[in-house]
């Protein structure tokens, strides 16, 4: 279940709620009981390369998931 982060306008606290995506824009009440909250946008980490790193230990082999050494 996705986790959403909210900020309470009256007290300034931030808090997280686990809720279904269908309820992501439903009102949220802060732990102090305030109803004037706003959903925050969370940054998403995107990066890296599209290729898998080379296996350690040299060799090479083939063989998919196990490098050809243990799958028979």
């Amino acid at each position: 279940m996705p986790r959403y982060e909210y900020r309470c306008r009256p007290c300034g606290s931030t808090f997280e709620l686990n809720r279904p995506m269908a309820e992501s824009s439903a009102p949220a009440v802060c732990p102090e009981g305030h109803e004037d909250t706003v959903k925050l946008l969370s940054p998403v980490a995107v990066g890296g390369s599209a290729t898998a790193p080379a296996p350690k230990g040299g060799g090479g082999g083939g063989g998919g998931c196990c490098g050809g050494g243990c799958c028979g």
Side-chain angles (χ1 to χ4, degrees), residues 1 3 7-8 12-13 17 19 32 36-37 39-40 43-44 48 51 53 55-56 58-60 62-64 66 68:
M1 191 173 312
R3 179 175 292 203
R7 187 181 72 234
C8 177
S13 67
L17 291 176
R19 47 175 38 175
E32 300 296 321
D36 186 12
T37 61
K39 187 170 87 170
L40 302 176
V44 177
T51 60
K56 294 182 180 178
C66 62

Side-chain angles (χ1 to χ4, degrees), residues 2-20:
R3 179 175 292 203
Y4 298 96
E5 187 174 18
Y6 297 86
R7 187 181 72 234
C8 177
R9 291 180 180 167
C11 68
S13 67
T14 58
F15 59 99
E16 296 179 344
L17 291 176
N18 291 329
R19 47 175 38 175

Side-chain angles (χ1 to χ4, degrees), residues 2 10-11 13-14 28 30 34 36 38 41 45-46 48 50 53 57 61-62 67 71:
C11 68
S13 67
T14 58
C30 91
H34 303 120
D36 186 12
V38 61
L41 294 176
V46 178
C71 291

